[in-house]
Amino acid sequence: MYDTVFSPNRQYKLRFDSYEMRMSHWIDQPSLIRVQDDVCLFALNQDDWSAWEVRWLDDSTVLLVMRKYPGLIDCTIELNVGTNEGQAVSRRTSVAGSFSAVKAWVLGLT
């Protein structure tokens, strides 16, 4: 389970909704939040996507390594809050575009 992870300038944060799937199998679903007004900019709160690794690359770019429970599907997501654009890469394909396009692509992975 993750604690809240702030961007280096503390203008954005990743908040995690965590729940137990099975005995000691936890899902940590991230939401990217603008701190100033507590607005959610990006979230994967559908299906069972869980953050495996999170890292701020700079003040406005975050990297998320995600796995879909039980771990057979994974992808890496990079989001830039300054441009409201991101990219995601899985083992077979990738996408680049708006946050909503990235989210739709990730949720469609099977």
Side-chain angles (χ1 to χ4, degrees):
M1 295 187 335
Y2 285 97
D3 291 327
T4 299
V5 179
F6 285 89
S7 64
N9 64 7
R10 301 190 67 82
Q11 291 183 3
Y12 304 97
K13 65 182 176 181
L14 285 169
R15 182 182 64 214
F16 298 89
D17 295 320
S18 300
Y19 58 93
E20 192 171 16
M21 194 64 173
R22 290 186 165 193
M23 186 186 297
S24 57
H25 291 191
W26 286 87
I27 303 294
D28 298 309
Q29 294 186 319
S31 296
L32 178 57
I33 308 291
R34 185 173 47 225
V35 172
Q36 176 183 348
D37 52 8
D38 206 38
V39 168
C40 180
L41 305 173
F42 182 88
L44 287 175
N45 51 6
Q46 297 169 339
D47 292 332
D48 293 319
W49 283 96
S50 185
W52 187 254
E53 177 185 343
V54 297
R55 182 170 26 121
W56 285 95
L57 303 178
D58 57 37
D59 285 341
S60 60
T61 308
V62 65
L63 179 77
L64 304 167
V65 178
M66 304 291 296
R67 290 190 177 167
K68 186 174 181 181
Y69 184 82
L72 302 176
I73 300 171
D74 60 77
C75 69
T76 301
I77 303 169
E78 188 174 305
L79 302 170
N80 184 309
V81 292
T83 61
N84 193 38
E85 293 190 349
Q87 58 187 11
V89 179
S90 71
R91 295 177 190 185
R92 295 178 295 202
T93 186
S94 63
V95 68
S98 68
F99 284 4
S100 59
V102 171
K103 178 179 179 174
W105 182 85
V106 171
L107 293 176
L109 287 174
T110 57

